[in-house]
Amino acid sequence: MNLKFASTTLLCISALTACSTTPTNPNAPVVLEQHKNISAEPSTKHNLARLIKQKDNCVIEFTGNFETGKATEHWIFKGDQLISAFSNIDAEVENKQTVFDPNDAEKVKNFELLKNNFKTTNLEKCL
């Protein structure tokens, strides 16, 4: 009985060690922070904003749900510089993608408002 218990224990320990030493992909995107139901325009029923760290930049992914579908925006940036942004609408009445001008003052203002939902310490990881 003790031999069976000891061998089972050793098997479990070796399995746990193998899992904890498995290498991870350092280039894989990482969600740094996320928030539900933030105040945003246009107003949505339910929304989710996520700050995602990628290899060379960060992305704010904002998904808002409407009665007829959903819209997902991606705001790609590094530091304080907005690199690109686009929106995908998946709704009963239309499915389309809109690319935003990263130099448009209104779009930059929306980007800054979205960034204000995330902690400074996490945004600093996007430099």
Side-chain angles (χ1 to χ4, degrees):
M1 182 76 158
N2 283 340
L3 182 60
K4 192 181 218 180
F5 178 75
S7 60
T8 302
T9 302
L10 285 174
L11 182 63
C12 288
I13 290 172
S14 64
L16 289 173
T17 302
C19 291
S20 66
T21 59
T22 303
T24 58
N25 180 355
N27 297 326
V30 175
V31 176
L32 299 175
E33 188 176 348
Q34 74 178 29
H35 300 281
K36 291 182 179 180
N37 299 321
I38 65 170
S39 175
E41 289 295 327
S43 181
T44 59
K45 285 180 133 186
H46 304 285
N47 63 50
L48 177 67
R50 300 186 322 155
L51 176 61
I52 303 167
K53 172 75 173 120
Q54 300 185 127
K55 181 181 177 191
D56 295 323
N57 55 43
C58 283
V59 177
I60 294 175
E61 180 185 77
F62 175 79
T63 302
N65 296 299
F66 302 93
E67 288 191 29
T68 59
K70 72 177 182 177
T72 302
E73 298 175 348
H74 291 90
W75 302 81
I76 303 162
F77 67 102
K78 186 167 187 170
D80 288 331
Q81 182 65 44
L82 179 61
I83 299 168
S84 67
F86 61 94
S87 170
N88 290 315
I89 296 177
D90 183 14
E92 292 174 9
V93 293
E94 68 179 333
N95 290 312
K96 72 175 186 173
Q97 182 178 65
T98 303
V99 177
F100 301 143
D101 177 359
N103 298 311
D104 180 274
E106 184 180 328
K107 300 304 179 197
V108 171
K109 181 181 174 185
N110 288 343
F111 168 64
E112 293 297 329
L113 290 172
L114 276 173
K115 277 183 22 180
N116 288 338
N117 290 284
F118 300 101
K119 295 176 185 169
T120 303
T121 55
N122 285 330
L123 289 169
E124 287 173 351
K125 296 174 184 175
C126 298
L127 297 176

